[in-house]
Amino acid sequence: MMVLMLTVGVSTTSAQKNHNVSFIPKEVWKDTDGNMINAHGAGLMKYKGTWYMYGEYKVGKTILPSWATWECYRTDVSGVSCYSSKDLLNWKFEGVALKAEPDNPESDLHPSKVIERPKVIYNKKTKKFVMWVHAESADYSKACAGVAVSDSPVGPFKYIESFRPNDGMSRDQTLFVDDDGTAYQFCSSENNQTLHINRLTDDYLRPEGTFVRRFVDMAREAPAVFKFNGKYYMLSSGCTGWDPNRAELAVADNIMGEWTVIGDPCTGPDADKTFYGQSTYVIPVNPKKGLFIACFDMWKKKDLADSRYIWLPLIADKKTGKMEIPWRDNWSLNDFK
Ligand code: DGJ
């Protein structure tokens, strides 16, 4: 996610111990208290003029179980963190919005499990904040979506249940709310080979029963969905565990309709490896003008808690529809102007 930091030469008061002035991909990003931002596989939501960011709160050692036959590195579940910001650059830690449940070995939130890719959306009808996560077992065989709900954007979120949407496996996932208020969950399904798009019920708590299979046998992970100029776009990665691969952008006229692959929008050094990152979210900064931020995680598989963030401009050309995510060592939203 984000940021960047940098205290250097910037005013520091006791109220705000750290002030970031630009996005510096791959560096340690600090929150307003000066602590490392801990929000991996993050999703963002804007509510009443404030941005909220939710991510995997990764604490402690990375574990590779003795029985592992593949690189299922994980940290103990510590919950889902929440940060708030007005400028997308300086983030206040709001606490752990969805807490781990160390006393209940059966819970999806027990430290022995895996919770990934939290995404939160606001339901205008119910006035509830709804979080969906990838709820996993340590061996990644559960493949479920977990749902939690809160009256406040900063939590506490109450965990309701986990399930396989429309009986399909659900691993990497994201949520998207369309202009008419209808919400969709995109998830890597069918052993990560095919993506499912599940339409949600009006309260956003369950799949409504309608779903489509897309990107059949194309093994897409890490979906991040956004809308530009009346069309739907999905940025995603290939499926290579914690290791990087090439990003891909696809477009559709209708969200449950046919999707067409456009290609890799990344440009610059290591673009063919997504700059060593993996997509997690695309922030609509000024969608009318075609200004977005593409958010990637740079996973450190043997020390997941020290995984870094790569946020880069995603610039869309209204005339041609062309989209580019150019590499930047150091940049700010002013570069958009
Ligand atoms: C790739 C996914 O995108 C991550 O969220 C995580 O599930 C890893 N695979 C686990 O290997």
Side-chain angles (χ1 to χ4, degrees):
M1 112 186 179
M2 85 129 246
V3 180
L4 47 65
M5 48 171 239
L6 235 335
T7 346
V8 217
V10 187
S11 68
T12 296
T13 65
S14 53
Q16 184 157 335
K17 297 181 189 144
N18 179 66
H19 184 76
N20 301 321
V21 294
S22 61
F23 297 97
I24 306 178
K26 304 186 181 181
E27 291 297 316
V28 168
W29 285 2
K30 292 188 176 169
D31 65 17
T32 52
D33 287 331
N35 298 315
M36 199 167 163
I37 290 181
N38 192 337
H40 308 278
L44 281 82
M45 180 201 61
K46 196 175 192 182
Y47 178 70
K48 292 195 174 170
T50 297
W51 286 100
Y52 295 88
M53 173 164 69
Y54 306 87
E56 301 158 21
Y57 193 58
K58 291 195 179 297
V59 178
K61 278 202 174 144
T62 294
I63 304 152
L64 183 63
S66 55
W67 44 259
T69 53
W70 64 288
E71 292 191 325
C72 51
Y73 290 103
R74 54 175 282 279
T75 55
D76 278 355
V77 169
S78 303
V80 173
S81 57
C82 175
Y83 292 81
S84 65
S85 173
K86 293 275 189 199
D87 63 2
L88 293 169
L89 196 52
N90 291 284
W91 292 92
K92 174 175 182 268
F93 182 51
E94 298 283 0
V96 178
L98 177 67
K99 295 203 170 19
E101 295 181 1
D103 298 331
N104 181 4
E106 301 305 314
S107 167
D108 291 339
L109 298 167
H110 187 263
S112 62
K113 310 289 176 60
V114 170
I115 291 290
E116 291 179 347
R117 299 189 178 272
K119 302 289 175 279
V120 173
I121 51 180
Y122 177 62
N123 189 303
K124 286 184 184 157
K125 284 187 191 153
T126 62
K127 299 195 170 19
K128 304 272 187 200
F129 298 86
V130 179
M131 179 188 292
W132 283 54
V133 300
H134 170 195
E136 257 313 346
S137 45
D139 65 356
Y140 281 75
S141 62
K142 186 176 174 94
C144 280
V147 178
V149 69
S150 172
D151 293 325
S152 158
V154 298
F157 280 80
K158 185 178 169 355
Y159 196 69
I160 305 174
E161 59 178 341
S162 63
F163 49 79
R164 288 188 169 182
N166 294 308
D167 292 331
M169 291 175 140
S170 180
R171 290 203 176 98
D172 278 12
Q173 60 110 42
T174 196
L175 300 177
F176 177 78
V177 182
D178 208 347
D179 303 332
D180 65 358
T182 308
Y184 303 82
Q185 185 227 20
F186 286 61
C187 64
S188 303
S189 192
E190 304 180 32
N191 271 324
N192 291 344
Q193 294 310 295
T194 293
L195 203 108
H196 285 193
I197 306 173
N198 297 294
R199 187 180 289 151
L200 305 189
T201 50
D202 284 353
D203 58 12
Y204 301 167
L205 299 179
R206 296 278 313 180
E208 159 266 8
T210 314
F211 78 104
V212 291
R213 302 171 66 236
R214 292 295 180 259
F215 304 91
V216 175
D217 293 332
M218 290 165 76
R220 303 316 298 167
E221 281 195 318
V225 179
F226 58 103
K227 195 170 184 179
F228 171 64
N229 211 10
K231 292 185 193 288
Y232 303 89
Y233 291 85
M234 187 186 86
L235 184 64
S236 67
S237 76
C239 187
T240 51
W242 296 110
D243 298 330
N245 53 56
R246 193 185 271 283
E248 190 176 272
L249 193 64
V251 64
D253 290 331
N254 297 301
I255 201 161
M256 305 275 268
E258 293 309 314
W259 285 76
T260 305
V261 172
I262 300 176
D264 181 0
C266 301
T267 58
D270 302 320
D272 61 340
K273 293 257 182 308
T274 318
F275 318 112
Y276 290 93
Q278 185 184 31
S279 45
T280 187
Y281 198 78
V282 172
I283 309 172
V285 179
N286 190 337
K288 288 212 170 97
K289 288 196 171 159
L291 305 178
F292 299 83
I293 297 176
C295 305
F296 304 94
D297 293 285
M298 186 173 79
W299 301 115
K300 208 183 259 189
K301 67 184 173 190
K302 295 189 179 172
D303 184 6
L304 285 166
D306 190 35
S307 296
R308 304 290 172 81
Y309 312 104
I310 299 172
W311 283 18
L312 292 168
L314 186 161
I315 299 158
D317 186 315
K318 209 165 182 172
K319 279 194 196 132
T320 62
K322 190 173 180 299
M323 295 201 176
E324 185 182 358
I325 303 175
W327 172 255
R328 295 278 183 268
D329 289 328
N330 187 326
W331 68 285
S332 77
L333 292 182
N334 291 331
D335 301 340
F336 269 164
K337 291 181 185 147

